Amino acid sequence: MKSMSFRAIAGLAVSLVVVAAPGAARQESVQLVRKAKVGDVTRVQTVGKAQVDMNGAQMALDLKGIEKYTVTAVAANGDITETDSPESVELSMNGQSMPPDPEMMKASTIVIKPNRMLVSYTKEDGSSDASEGRMYHATTVIYPDTPVKVGDKWSKTFAANAATGARTARGDYQVLAFETVAGVATVKVSLTFQESVAPALKTKGTVWIERATGDVVKAEGTVEGFPLDETGAMLATVTLTQTRLPKGQ
């Protein structure tokens, strides 16, 4: 076997350095899109704490509940219709247990696009649920049209829409990592949301999105300016953690 020349050895060494260099390898990318089929059932547990200032009086509210989401239709364009049925709600104020408002136990119907943009949010009687729709925008990652990789950023501006509860706002998102949560491959995304009209909702959170289905596996964050009544006179800062329960739970 002939010996390799110095030039060839040097060239090989450079090639090896380039291949091994951090970031030289092509980064993995994922297309985020919500996929579902009729009959899919998901249960989500929410644990929350709220701090309320009511005319100088400080109140601490605690919330724990489970909601059942059932996919009832998938349109040709990918739009997904699902019912949101509360199964349990536990409330306490300053450590004292209190019964939930009956309205909290009523089911709603949600229609979303594959990128998770809200189409409609309606109550059992068919009327629009603007307050829930408003919270949906403040706590949901809207998926971009192109695949994303770690470090990618994008944003979404929202126009006012009385039907869905949307107010003029902006959401900013960034892929933080690809992680496995409870055995599920996810995309970890940061969420920052800000309405532009006072009293404004403001959100900072982190969402773990299942890569295969675009469904949320876990979410946590804080919402400021959360309205506790229709007048907006009672506002709270709410810290929430939501976890998708394993099948069968």
Side-chain angles (χ1 to χ4, degrees):
M1 180 182 293
K2 292 184 178 180
S3 61
M4 189 176 294
S5 69
F6 174 78
R7 182 177 297 177
I9 293 173
L12 176 60
V14 170
S15 298
L16 290 174
V17 169
V18 170
V19 170
R26 185 176 180 179
Q27 282 189 293
E28 182 181 10
S29 60
V30 174
Q31 179 68 62
L32 292 174
V33 59
R34 181 70 176 100
K35 302 174 184 177
K37 62 181 185 297
V38 174
D40 283 351
V41 175
T42 303
R43 284 180 169 83
V44 177
Q45 182 180 70
T46 299
V47 178
K49 291 182 177 294
Q51 294 296 323
V52 186
D53 185 343
M54 187 174 64
N55 298 323
Q58 300 298 315
M59 295 189 303
L61 301 176
D62 291 276
L63 162 69
K64 184 177 181 180
I66 295 177
E67 293 177 274
K68 176 184 175 182
Y69 295 86
T70 305
V71 176
T72 59
V74 179
N77 65 357
D79 286 3
I80 299 168
T81 301
E82 59 185 359
T83 57
D84 171 7
S85 304
E87 292 189 326
S88 66
V89 176
E90 299 175 22
L91 293 173
S92 67
M93 179 185 297
N94 294 333
Q96 298 296 316
S97 179
M98 56 186 295
D101 186 321
E103 289 294 320
M104 298 180 68
M105 302 305 297
K106 292 184 178 180
S108 298
T109 299
I110 309 167
V111 182
I112 63 170
K113 293 186 174 298
N115 68 351
R116 295 192 67 88
M117 274 294 293
L118 183 64
V119 176
S120 64
Y121 205 127
T122 55
K123 301 178 182 179
E124 285 183 348
D125 61 6
S127 62
S128 63
D129 196 336
S131 60
E132 289 289 351
R134 186 181 172 203
M135 278 299 296
Y136 178 94
H137 289 104
T139 57
T140 300
V141 175
I142 305 302
Y143 302 156
D145 295 332
T146 56
V148 294
K149 59 184 182 297
V150 175
D152 279 357
K153 299 179 181 180
W154 67 99
S155 62
K156 173 66 180 178
T157 54
F158 299 87
N161 185 326
T164 63
R167 296 187 177 187
T168 305
R170 175 187 170 103
D172 291 287
Y173 319 99
Q174 180 178 10
V175 177
L176 302 178
F178 292 156
E179 294 184 349
T180 299
V181 177
V184 179
T186 71
V187 182
K188 181 181 180 181
V189 179
S190 66
L191 159 68
T192 302
F193 176 90
Q194 173 75 61
E195 290 180 342
S196 58
V197 179
L201 282 177
K202 182 178 180 181
T203 307
K204 283 193 176 182
T206 306
V207 182
W208 287 260
I209 301 161
E210 184 174 14
R211 292 170 58 164
T213 66
D215 193 19
V216 175
V217 176
K218 179 181 176 182
E220 56 188 28
T222 300
V223 182
E224 297 180 23
F226 182 86
L228 295 180
D229 63 356
E230 294 183 357
T231 67
M234 294 177 60
L235 301 177
T237 296
V238 185
T239 300
L240 295 169
T241 298
Q242 292 185 313
T243 306
R244 190 178 72 181
L245 297 177
K247 299 294 184 182
Q249 291 191 21

